[in-house]
Amino acid sequence: MRRNPNVRIRRAAPADILGIMSLERQAASGAHWPRQEYDRLFLSDPGSLSERRAWIAEDDPDPLAEEGKQQQPKLLAFLIARVTNDECELENVVVDVNARRKGVATLLLAQLLHHSQEFHVSSIFLEVRESNHAARRLYEKSGFEIVGLRKNYYSQPRENAVLYRRNLC
Ligand SMILES: CC(C)(COP(=O)(O)OP(=O)(O)OC[C@H]1O[C@@H](n2cnc3c(N)ncnc32)[C@H](O)[C@@H]1OP(=O)(O)O)[C@@H](O)C(=O)NCCC(=O)NCCS
């Protein structure tokens, strides 16, 4: 893996929605949501029993670049998870096609693990298409274990979902 030292992880903000949607549209294998679902990420709902959290990975522009030549950070990836009581579900993670295999998703997962431990989450769950070998390798490398299979869970194309869990305590 070729690591990218200039990656910064931060919580997502409403201004990131269009960038997140553009990354999401690149990835046929990831989850696809309508715009309203992304808007809801940033609305507080006191009646809800769960809360969604989203993080962004962006490249860190050179702070030593000459004034006037400083670039805006570029959105490289996002991760969205839902926390309910002491459980967390990883709902989606997508990395820009040009930034893959540089450890960006691993950094986002590490952020999720850190955050989950801080909020006393005991397990993180996720489901993934059986044929999504890249994502499955990523999860297995990050300590997730297979805990089940949902037959024909996905449509277009129809496919099994593999369920993974990572225990934190
Ligand atoms: C899956 C995905 C998020 C991985 O992001 P990434 O930043 O490239 O992952 P990392 O660089 O952190 O890779 C970590 C490990 O995962 C595995 N991995 C990642 N991509 C892989 C690939 N294309 N083939 C095989 N293994 C892969 C490797 O073991 C890798 O470690 P290594 O590079 O040292 O061998 C990215 O390919 C992606 O956005 N895919 C489309 C969206 C998607 O399917 N999301 C998952 C939805 S459930």
Side-chain angles (χ1 to χ4, degrees):
M1 180 193 293
R2 201 158 48 85
R3 294 266 165 205
N4 185 343
N6 300 319
V7 175
R8 184 169 57 189
I9 307 290
R10 64 167 171 82
R11 284 292 281 269
D16 298 311
I17 292 177
L18 287 180
I20 289 175
M21 290 184 72
S22 146
L23 280 185
E24 188 232 67
R25 301 296 185 252
Q26 282 183 15
S29 50
H32 296 286
W33 291 356
R35 164 83 201 219
Q36 303 90 286
E37 206 64 35
Y38 288 105
D39 287 332
R40 262 190 237 131
L41 278 174
F42 304 102
L43 300 174
S44 74
D45 178 1
S48 174
L49 297 173
S50 63
E51 198 187 320
R52 277 197 170 122
R53 299 184 186 153
W55 288 269
I56 292 294
E58 61 190 6
D59 70 352
D60 211 356
D62 180 1
L64 302 175
E66 284 172 47
E67 213 172 309
K69 285 191 180 169
Q70 287 194 349
Q71 295 166 337
Q72 288 296 314
K74 183 178 178 320
L75 185 65
L76 301 176
F78 71 89
L79 181 152
I80 298 175
R82 183 196 285 271
V83 178
T84 311
N85 299 321
D86 67 340
E87 287 188 355
C88 175
E89 183 187 358
L90 197 176
E91 295 190 302
N92 206 3
V93 53
V94 178
V95 177
D96 184 291
V97 284
N98 298 311
R100 290 184 187 169
R101 288 314 275 276
K102 294 176 184 168
V104 176
T106 302
L107 280 177
L108 280 167
L109 278 179
Q111 175 62 41
L112 177 66
L113 291 173
H114 176 75
H115 176 87
S116 298
Q117 273 160 340
E118 218 170 275
F119 282 81
H120 309 292
V121 166
S122 59
S123 315
I124 303 176
F125 290 88
L126 64 90
E127 63 218 9
V128 57
R129 282 184 180 270
E130 199 169 23
S131 66
N132 192 345
H133 299 294
R136 292 181 60 184
R137 281 291 301 130
L138 163 74
Y139 300 140
E140 285 163 15
K141 261 191 122 171
S142 297
F144 284 80
E145 292 176 340
I146 295 177
V147 289
L149 186 81
R150 289 198 174 126
K151 287 258 175 210
N152 297 322
Y153 179 76
Y154 293 106
S155 56
Q156 295 177 338
R158 181 178 286 240
E159 189 175 353
N160 299 336
V162 184
L163 287 136
Y164 281 89
R165 182 181 65 207
R166 168 79 147 83
N167 285 332
L168 296 176
C169 16

